[in-house]
Amino acid sequence: MSSTPHDPATGARIIAQTLKKLGVLVVFGLVGVPVSDIAEQVIAIGIRFIGFRNEQAASYAATAYGYLTGTPGVCLVVGGPGVLHAIAGVGNASENNFPLLLLGGSIETHQVTKGAFQELDSVSLLTARTKHSVRPPNVESLPYIIANAYRCSFYGRPGAAFVDLPADIINDPLSPEELKDTKEVLTIPDAPRSGADNRGLNKVIALIKQAKAPLVLVGKGAAYARAEHSIRAFIEQTSIPFLPSPMGKGVVADSHPANASAARSTALKLADVVIILGARLNWIFHYGETPKWSSSAKFVQVDISPEEMGRNAGDAEYSLLGDVSVVVEQLLQLLGNWAYDQTRSDYVQNLELAKRKNGRVSSLAANDTSMPLTYHRVFDIIKRGLHLLSPPLEGGVCLIAEGANTMDISRSIFSFEHPRLRLDAGTYATMGVGLPYAIAAWEAYNAPNAKASSGPAKRKKIVAIEGDSAFGFSGMEVETMARMGMDILIFVVNNGGIYFGDSNTADDWTAKQEKTKRNEPGLRSWALGWEVRYQKLAEACGGLGFFVRTAEELEKATIAGFKATVPVIVNIIIQSGKMEKASFGWQVAPRRKTKAASL
């Protein structure tokens, strides 16, 4: 039986009180013995608890909540397999630099090394994968241990911290002496922010002023740092073209004329001085290397992590160590009234030509009336419907995109005027984050104690656009949405496969399925079920489901789904796609093997 605040004090109550004093508003997790007592104490003390159907999904949600609010998301799981499942979220948080505090239960202290039920040395396992991994030695140390892990997760470069919680520390009643010795939690202020040194700033200023083809890269780190005001001022004053990362969209409005997204390849190829704000020279920006970039391009990296300086094509000589918002304000002050003279070269003209050319191609794709529907046609219909119901300037829609083609194609179609309103699989390209991210976004923006903000609209409609493969990773979290009263709109873009489907007709798919049953070459490894009725999962949980084949059906479902007050799944049947070697739009062409390398 779970304890209440009137029962003798236990470690579970101390943990809940510590989280409350740290300002934690919600805990994501999946309970079992012994952590269920912590969850009950959390609820009793006024913190929201969202129970998931899988620890992976709970940990993903906590990471996204940390990104959206700027304070660590908290995830509570059982020990052993529960921690192993939650490691998926630890990896996601570490690679994306999202603040996460993972709390995991474990066996009683006296059973360590005896082969106890679900025994796992979680601290050793996670030490190399987190910023901080620790097991409290006693109940008196709980407040300090948890508060310190919480602080570590979002001070400096954000990431994951882990606290292992033995069952005896959670459950054993405290003596008056132990309770008296429990340390009070001190308030943890926002992480300190620093600026760059003057010598480095002056070098960068000189480099910017002599640039013939400057470019600003805006990453999700800028959105996390709430740097939109300083970066918008920088773009307005300098007139330098900018290019946002997929989750950096909206830091500067996508509608801004300096946005080079529609000319991405041209901008990368021509840029000679690149100012990187809250982004990294990793695979998303092709490492800063040829053939995507010019070999002579110079990169100015603005980052809070010294280890990032000079990475890949970066040059530490022009790196600026500090908080992105502070450093941008420093650059603005030193630049004075300087602005990029767009008449000095044909750089901007080439960008505009590429924008117009790519715009025509996108327009043709969006107006493709072939059946079944195409990705571009589907996204154009959804975009027009959402913009009609909630104009982008209001910032009333938070969109999550997940799935290889679904995520990649939608990136160039949906525009955002405010930051932190687009989430996707991120740096780690983690599939399964879509529905948990949607739950986190709902909690961050719409819960009674909502902590996040973006744009003038206070309440956000949370919309998840999922490939059918991506949806399958965490589909049961639709029940979590329904149970928690979350009116989330989910579009499943259903091509019957991973990357592309395996068949163009039901008869063809059935014939291949029969061959597979006979252990003959039939369905390929990327094949999924033919026109699976995913919308029925929403109906089973008390939500609404729509099965869509035509543009007219999709238009009606988008409007009805937006207005619904329950979870909605719109299952959209699209073309299976041309079967070819699977690839990803972000990949750079492989290097040719040299003779020596092939020996």
Side-chain angles (χ1 to χ4, degrees), residues 418-487:
H418 304 282
R420 299 175 296 281
L421 293 180
R422 185 188 187 279
L423 293 87
D424 63 25
T427 307
Y428 220 23
T430 308
M431 292 294 102
V433 299
L435 300 192
Y437 276 19
I439 291 171
W442 194 98
E443 192 65 22
Y445 286 118
N446 298 332
N449 51 8
K451 201 170 186 178
S453 65
S454 180
K458 185 176 180 181
R459 196 182 193 282
K460 315 293 183 188
K461 185 68 178 184
I462 311 302
V463 178
I465 300 181
E466 300 278 307
D468 51 337
S469 171
F471 177 80
F473 281 82
S474 53
M476 273 308 299
E477 300 310 331
V478 172
E479 189 277 328
T480 304
M481 298 173 185
R483 177 172 16 103
M484 299 304 297
M486 298 177 173
D487 57 334

Side-chain angles (χ1 to χ4, degrees), residues 51-74:
F52 282 72
R53 305 300 299 266
N54 183 287
E55 290 95 353
Q56 286 186 14
S59 63
Y60 293 151
T63 65
Y65 185 84
Y67 166 71
L68 292 171
T69 64
T71 56
V74 179

Side-chain angles (χ1 to χ4, degrees), residues 430-582:
T430 308
M431 292 294 102
V433 299
L435 300 192
Y437 276 19
I439 291 171
W442 194 98
E443 192 65 22
Y445 286 118
N446 298 332
N449 51 8
K451 201 170 186 178
S453 65
S454 180
K458 185 176 180 181
R459 196 182 193 282
K460 315 293 183 188
K461 185 68 178 184
I462 311 302
V463 178
I465 300 181
E466 300 278 307
D468 51 337
S469 171
F471 177 80
F473 281 82
S474 53
M476 273 308 299
E477 300 310 331
V478 172
E479 189 277 328
T480 304
M481 298 173 185
R483 177 172 16 103
M484 299 304 297
M486 298 177 173
D487 57 334
I488 294 171
L489 172 57
I490 303 164
F491 294 95
V492 177
V493 186
N494 187 350
N495 68 348
I498 301 170
Y499 297 108
F500 39 81
D502 195 14
S503 306
N504 292 314
T505 67
D507 289 342
D508 182 37
W509 189 90
T510 301
K512 290 184 176 182
Q513 184 188 37
E514 291 301 320
K515 286 185 177 181
T516 300
K517 290 178 181 178
R518 297 193 298 269
N519 200 29
E520 299 174 9
L523 292 172
R524 305 302 296 269
S525 61
W526 56 74
L528 296 175
W530 178 260
E531 296 190 356
V532 176
R533 285 353 191 224
Y534 296 109
Q535 79 280 0
K536 292 188 178 296
L537 181 57
E539 296 171 0
C541 299
L544 295 177
F546 297 88
F547 185 74
V548 166
R549 292 186 186 276
T550 68
E552 293 74 19
E553 291 171 340
L554 180 55
E555 289 171 358
K556 293 178 181 178
T558 298
I559 294 171
F562 188 95
K563 294 179 178 180
T565 58
V566 293
V568 175
I569 295 178
V570 180
N571 186 12
I572 312 163
I573 302 301
I574 69 164
Q575 295 177 11
S576 293
K578 182 181 178 182
M579 287 187 289
E580 55 190 17
K581 181 176 174 58

